[in-house]
Amino acid sequence: MRRAWILLALCSCQSVPSTAARARMPGGRPAPLPQGALVQFGSPLFRHDDAVTSVATSRDGRWIASASRDSVIRVWDARTRAHVRTMKAHGTAVTSLAFSPDGATLASTSARGTVSLWEVPGGAEIAELRGHLGRVSCAAFAP
């Protein structure tokens, strides 16, 4: 049986970009993690070419997704920390991410007013929702 979820894309959130995402060593290599740290914004786990704008985890803890102003969404398996998928989204800054309650769908919102739904972990775009006149800054699912 397929469950139906309600996607709410009318909330107002402010994203705070990570300046650590730009931390680089000479030669452009990523800066190493501080001693004892397991993960840090700007580490390979959340590495983007521009500021990170959103991070979301699935309710069951299986998936982590991050988004950036570089219009890229990255998905990881939280248990193994393995990078699973990179999706190019919206053609502009991705402003927020939200997982459906079952973790099988990821919603992304954009600065150009679109909302996309993605299959997790495969990365196929299920739908692109249009109609907002401006930036969509936050998305959430309601059961």
Side-chain angles (χ1 to χ4, degrees):
M1 181 171 105
R2 183 170 167 88
R3 291 187 176 184
W5 307 108
I6 298 171
L7 175 67
L8 306 174
L10 299 174
C11 53
S12 176
C13 300
Q14 181 177 1
S15 61
V16 180
S18 168
T19 55
R22 296 176 189 228
R24 303 265 181 189
M25 294 175 51
R29 294 188 325 258
L33 286 173
Q35 185 175 355
L38 298 176
V39 75
Q40 161 187 337
F41 284 107
S43 75
L45 185 58
F46 294 114
R47 181 75 59 197
H48 284 269
D49 291 335
D50 206 333
V52 173
T53 55
S54 185
V55 175
T57 58
S58 60
R59 186 177 290 177
D60 64 2
R62 172 92 194 266
W63 307 112
I64 300 172
S66 63
S68 176
R69 289 191 310 201
D70 62 8
S71 75
V72 169
I73 299 169
R74 300 189 193 283
V75 178
W76 289 269
D77 183 313
R79 295 175 187 141
T80 65
R81 291 204 239 157
H83 177 253
V84 176
R85 182 79 52 218
T86 298
M87 293 105 73
K88 190 76 169 166
H90 305 287
T92 188
V94 179
T95 54
S96 73
L97 298 171
F99 279 97
S100 63
D102 66 357
T105 303
L106 178 68
S108 63
T109 64
S110 79
R112 71 175 181 141
T114 57
V115 177
S116 288
L117 301 177
W118 306 88
E119 185 270 325
V120 178
E125 188 174 27
I126 299 166
E128 182 179 63
L129 310 173
R130 298 172 183 234
H132 292 276
L133 298 177
R135 173 188 186 98
V136 180
S137 57
C138 191
F141 284 89

